[in-house]
Amino acid sequence: MKIATTIPEVRAQVAAWKKEGLTVGLVPTMGYLHEGHASLVDKAVSLCDRVVASDFVNPTQFGPGEDLEAYPRDFDRDCALLEEHGCDLVFHPAVEEMYVPNAATFVEIQSDMPKQLCGQTRPTHFKGVCTVVSKLFNIVTPDKAFFGQKDAQQLAIIRRMVRELSYGIEIVGCPIVREADGLAKSSRNTYLDPAQRKAALVLSQAVFLGQRLVQEGERDARKLVSAMEAHIKGEPLARIDYVSAVDGVTMEPVERIEGDVLVAMAVYIGKTRLIDNFVVEESAL
């Protein structure tokens, strides 16, 4: 596996691969990788001839007072995991490589879509996400890019950005990977002490409760969300940011569980903000 720290290095390697007629997959990450990221690399390896993973903690998607400086980093560990799973190139740029001084050009969806769910309390987050992903697309020029379903709003926003900016890149969504006890894999899980780690199970428990209620016939979104909120509020260490049922494409709130619906949540366990979700597909109703 090769390691590149500059944009020209990446472009030269990808150009060489494409000259050979090889397809290229991209797995964008912020590092501190876990089995969820590994599953994205595995999927990319299965569908593409060569795989590039980015390992970059993107400052523009963190708001004031968020955990940019504290965000966990372990590049050597990341490289070991990526190489084990068949990644061909890891792009590990410095902030100065990705953003010129006083950068003033950003990519942003001008609709209510990024204002829903996580955007309610992180108003600049998706502007930063779209900007860095757009830059990675321009640098790597992949045929396919791979994103996790755990960040469901991000996945929907990236799909829209790609469609509207005519990138010609296939976006592949990959399932949530969970611990044996149900907790969704997250780099931020490392922030949790033992008591908080146990308390964090309330998120996946609420997901499984919501799925069961839908399977049993609940179609009233308000009742579904209320039942999930009530379960979360039973955990003293949990503080709800949001629990919402939204249209799976537009992210707009829905009143009924009809069509493709995303049921998503963000919950603070102590100071750590965790997310989880499930999707109700129209074909399953």
Side-chain angles (χ1 to χ4, degrees):
M1 184 180 72
K2 297 181 180 180
I3 298 172
T5 58
T6 69
I7 293 169
E9 287 178 275
V10 176
R11 285 183 166 152
Q13 180 59 80
V14 171
W17 286 335
K18 292 198 170 186
K19 191 174 182 180
E20 296 178 47
L22 302 175
T23 58
V24 177
L26 171 65
V27 180
T29 86
M30 291 211 302
Y32 211 73
L33 306 182
H34 50 68
E35 289 87 344
H37 299 105
S39 73
L40 302 182
V41 176
D42 290 343
K43 187 68 172 179
V45 168
S46 75
L47 295 178
C48 302
D49 298 316
R50 297 291 184 269
V51 174
V52 178
S54 62
D55 191 311
F56 176 64
V57 181
N58 175 40
T60 65
Q61 67 192 69
F62 289 80
E66 292 187 350
D67 59 340
L68 173 59
E69 297 305 321
Y71 195 84
R73 297 162 170 85
D74 190 337
F75 183 60
D76 290 341
R77 177 175 166 274
D78 292 345
C79 285
L81 181 146
L82 290 169
E83 189 160 27
E84 178 185 351
H85 286 267
C87 181
D88 298 286
L89 174 68
V90 57
F91 179 39
H92 184 54
V95 172
E96 296 75 20
E97 182 70 13
M98 288 295 285
Y99 293 102
V100 301
N102 303 311
T105 303
F106 296 89
V107 179
E108 185 173 16
I109 291 179
Q110 294 287 327
S111 76
D112 287 338
M113 189 179 189
K115 299 176 184 177
Q116 309 299 326
L117 305 178
C118 289
Q120 297 175 69
T121 53
R122 305 184 74 192
T124 63
H125 174 68
F126 291 111
K127 176 181 175 182
V129 168
C130 286
T131 299
V132 75
V133 171
S134 181
K135 289 173 73 69
L136 289 169
F137 287 171
N138 287 333
I139 294 164
V140 179
T141 61
D143 299 284
K144 303 177 192 292
F146 299 79
F147 295 85
Q149 178 62 37
K150 185 170 75 72
D151 296 293
Q153 185 177 15
Q154 170 181 278
L155 176 58
I157 284 172
I158 295 299
R159 288 190 193 282
R160 181 169 182 177
M161 180 186 79
V162 165
R163 183 174 66 251
E164 294 186 2
L165 294 184
S166 307
Y167 268 110
I169 298 169
E170 180 185 348
I171 302 303
V172 181
C174 300
I176 295 173
V177 176
R178 299 185 180 276
E179 303 281 1
D181 58 7
L183 182 66
K185 298 273 189 181
S186 170
S187 300
R188 289 187 169 94
N189 290 348
T190 189
Y191 297 159
L192 305 171
D193 65 29
Q196 292 170 338
R197 173 62 180 78
K198 183 178 180 181
L201 292 177
V202 75
L203 280 87
S204 55
Q205 290 167 359
V207 164
F208 302 150
L209 170 62
Q211 290 175 318
R212 178 170 59 80
L213 290 174
V214 171
Q215 289 169 357
E216 292 173 353
E218 182 61 75
R219 296 294 180 266
D220 186 311
R222 182 182 57 81
K223 291 181 179 178
L224 178 67
V225 167
S226 294
M228 294 171 64
E229 287 178 335
H231 181 80
I232 296 167
K233 289 175 180 176
E235 169 51 60
L237 296 181
R239 176 170 60 86
I240 295 173
D241 183 354
Y242 68 81
V243 181
S244 300
V246 300
D247 182 278
V249 175
T250 68
M251 302 290 109
E252 293 286 347
V254 298
E255 295 182 356
R256 301 280 301 170
I257 307 300
E258 298 170 342
D260 293 335
V261 174
L262 169 68
V263 183
M265 70 184 73
V267 178
Y268 285 93
I269 304 295
K271 294 181 179 180
T272 303
R273 185 179 181 276
L274 301 176
I275 60 174
D276 207 339
N277 69 78
F278 69 97
V279 174
V280 183
E281 296 182 349
E282 184 174 17
S283 60
L285 294 175

